[in-house]
Amino acid sequence: MGTFCSIIRFENLYELKRLCHWGPIIALSVIAICSAMAIIDAVLWYWPLDTTGGSINFIMLINWTIMILYNYFNAMFVGPGYVPVGWKPENSQDCMYLQYCKICQSYKAPRSHHCRKCNRCVMKMDHHCPWINNCCGFQNHASFTLFLLLAPLGCIHAAFIFVMTMYTQLYNRVSFGWSSVKIDMSAARRDPRPIIPFELSAFAASLFALGLALGTTLAVGMLFVIQMKIILRNKTSIESWIEEKAKDRIQYYQTKEDFVFPYDLGSKWDNFKQVFTWSGNPEGDGLEWPIREGCHQYSLTIEQLKQKADKRVRSVRYQAIEDYNGACCPVTKGIRTFCTTPCTEEPRIVLHKGDHILATRGLKHWMYGDKITDLPTNDGERIRGWFPRKCVEKCLYDSESDQPLDGEKKAR
């Protein structure tokens, strides 16, 4: 009951605004369409008041909808949990192992990352999910993963109902001749029970809902598998990426280091219990974490600092030679630039001829970097994002390293 109250108790109107986004609108629309059509078709196919099987089928269908919505809203409104503003470790000497967030005016706790969308440092951030219009992190990781599990299961049940309803309804309306098959969708139902008529519009709606259910099963089911893989390793999507970059850094510089991910406890069951508990609340406070034997409490943050320093060394200074208005898919920058725009919610930055940018990574036709400006920004936030490669050229007086970008190095 306490968890339910925490869901429906909004601290401010901003929480309600999370629903006013294309992600929740689409997700809730799919849930509403599939649930409503499944309930209607269940009445047509397996009348719930006459048999025990029909009653169980109908109750299960309602149960799927309730559990899916419960975990969906729990993931959305409870949120991931944020690092307290002004937070710093108890031992002041440990600050040297942590990054400082100028926007939140606090140190980034281990496993936390700053989210541009939420504008806060998120505890154990996995990713910012547009479908819940919130981050997936420490407090809502379990609810988000359960939603990813329950949604495909509910859709499989709904898809079975759609198929059986269309089959049984059409079976009574098909008369087979020697040379043709005649389908009369307006024919009267042989069952005298007065229920919802299954007309052509109902058939089309059931077919559309079936497509949504199957598509959701495949897409969300794949996301569930990905989430479970990282949970059983006690990682997040960001940490998996950091680990890969650690291997690339060690191989690039041939330092002969041996980076060991510190939060993998060695047992899949122990890793599983870090997210899923009987109480529904994750273990710990989101600021300090159990680590495997032989690792340092700040092993991951130290690696992040090394990667940040490496990125500064390997970054390249560019100068804008064309204006760019920050469009996601610019039409005037060529068909290849238009068609290969990065599929990400990361921002694009506006460029004016003469601007300087410090590029940190790149694709064939796009680059990502920080805009160098002497003008102050709000809360010390950097201006960074993607921009077309054809709009810039490398500075001949580059004061940074002349090393190629990560994307260029790998492409060659």
Side-chain angles (χ1 to χ4, degrees), residues 80-83 87 97-99 107-115 120-127 135-139 141 227 229-243 259-266 270-276 282-292 296-305:
Y82 304 107
V83 177
W87 179 87
Y97 303 126
L98 302 173
Q99 299 182 61
Y107 286 91
K108 295 182 181 180
R111 312 192 77 176
S112 68
H113 302 273
H114 186 85
C115 175
R120 290 289 302 275
C121 286
V122 178
M123 294 190 292
K124 195 189 175 184
M125 179 178 175
D126 184 86
H127 68 289
C135 278
C136 172
F138 171 63
Q139 292 183 355
H141 203 172
Q227 283 296 313
K229 283 184 177 180
I230 62 176
I231 287 175
L232 293 178
R233 297 184 179 98
N234 201 11
K235 298 178 182 179
T236 65
S237 300
I238 295 177
E239 290 168 351
S240 297
W241 185 40
I242 293 173
E243 187 177 28
F259 175 75
V260 178
F261 185 74
Y263 304 115
D264 187 351
L265 302 180
D270 290 337
N271 293 337
F272 181 84
K273 290 189 297 182
Q274 289 294 306
V275 177
F276 297 96
E283 292 189 357
D285 58 2
L287 301 173
E288 295 184 2
W289 304 91
I291 58 174
R292 65 187 305 166
H296 191 271
Q297 182 67 232
Y298 299 103
S299 294
L300 186 66
T301 59
I302 292 173
E303 174 60 32
Q304 288 178 261
L305 290 174

Side-chain angles (χ1 to χ4, degrees), residues 45-61:
W45 167 58
Y46 206 174
W47 184 253
L49 301 181
D50 286 351
T51 62
T52 303
S55 300
I56 294 176
N57 175 71
F58 195 80
I59 292 173
M60 286 183 61
L61 189 60

Side-chain angles (χ1 to χ4, degrees), residues 18-253:
R18 291 194 184 279
L19 293 170
C20 302
H21 183 265
W22 63 265
I25 290 174
I26 294 177
L28 292 174
S29 297
V30 172
I31 294 173
I33 292 172
C34 291
S35 298
M37 286 305 305
I39 291 173
I40 294 173
D41 285 4
V43 172
L44 288 169
W45 167 58
Y46 206 174
W47 184 253
L49 301 181
D50 286 351
T51 62
T52 303
S55 300
I56 294 176
N57 175 71
F58 195 80
I59 292 173
M60 286 183 61
L61 189 60
I62 299 296
N63 190 49
W64 288 126
T65 303
I66 293 175
M67 290 193 299
I68 289 171
L69 290 175
Y70 174 83
N71 285 282
Y72 179 84
F73 288 123
N74 198 27
M76 177 186 290
F77 292 122
V78 170
Y82 304 107
V83 177
V85 176
W87 179 87
K88 62 180 180 180
E90 295 181 1
N91 186 354
S92 59
Q93 294 181 351
D94 293 338
C95 293
M96 62 182 296
Y97 303 126
L98 302 173
Q99 299 182 61
Y100 184 79
C101 180
K102 295 180 180 179
I103 299 175
C104 297
Q105 297 182 353
S106 62
Y107 286 91
K108 295 182 181 180
R111 312 192 77 176
S112 68
H113 302 273
H114 186 85
C115 175
R116 298 190 195 97
K117 298 288 185 180
C118 299
N119 204 32
R120 290 289 302 275
C121 286
V122 178
M123 294 190 292
K124 195 189 175 184
M125 179 178 175
D126 184 86
H127 68 289
H128 184 91
C129 178
W131 304 110
I132 63 173
N133 195 21
N134 206 342
C135 278
C136 172
F138 171 63
Q139 292 183 355
N140 64 350
H141 203 172
S143 297
F144 180 78
T145 307
L146 286 174
F147 166 73
L148 297 182
L149 171 64
L150 295 171
L153 293 179
C155 285
I156 291 173
H157 187 187
F160 179 75
I161 292 176
F162 296 147
V163 172
M164 294 305 298
T165 301
M166 289 188 288
Y167 172 76
T168 55
Q169 291 294 319
L170 290 176
Y171 182 81
N172 294 331
R173 291 167 169 79
V174 177
S175 57
F176 294 91
W178 288 102
S179 59
S180 65
V181 176
K182 179 181 178 183
I183 303 179
D184 183 10
M185 298 299 295
S186 62
R189 178 179 168 83
R190 295 180 182 179
D191 192 339
R193 184 185 296 112
I195 57 176
I196 304 170
F198 192 80
E199 305 292 346
L200 181 61
S201 58
F203 175 80
S206 296
L207 193 61
F208 176 71
L210 176 62
L212 286 180
L214 294 178
T216 301
T217 300
L218 292 176
V220 180
M222 290 176 61
L223 292 176
F224 170 74
V225 172
I226 294 173
Q227 283 296 313
M228 284 306 302
K229 283 184 177 180
I230 62 176
I231 287 175
L232 293 178
R233 297 184 179 98
N234 201 11
K235 298 178 182 179
T236 65
S237 300
I238 295 177
E239 290 168 351
S240 297
W241 185 40
I242 293 173
E243 187 177 28
E244 288 298 319
K245 290 197 298 182
K247 296 176 181 178
D248 290 341
R249 182 186 63 81
I250 293 172
Q251 183 178 10
Y252 184 86
Y253 290 105

Side-chain angles (χ1 to χ4, degrees), residues 316-390:
V316 182
R317 189 181 183 114
Y318 283 80
Q319 182 177 8
I321 57 175
E322 296 181 15
D323 291 341
Y324 168 56
N325 61 3
C328 181
C329 300
V331 180
T332 59
K333 302 304 178 185
I335 187 65
R336 293 182 179 179
T337 302
F338 177 84
C339 295
T340 59
T341 182
C343 297
T344 174
E345 285 196 341
E346 290 178 313
R348 275 64 170 169
I349 56 175
V350 178
L351 296 180
H352 299 287
K353 190 174 181 179
D355 287 345
H356 289 266
I357 310 98
L358 202 60
T360 55
R361 50 191 165 106
L363 302 174
K364 187 174 183 180
H365 301 288
W366 288 83
M367 303 181 74
Y368 185 92
D370 294 75
K371 191 174 182 179
I372 303 174
T373 176
D374 296 330
L375 298 176
T377 58
N378 296 333
D379 301 323
E381 186 177 2
R382 294 180 296 175
I383 302 176
R384 56 180 176 176
W386 291 95
F387 53 91
R389 184 182 286 269
K390 69 174 300 182

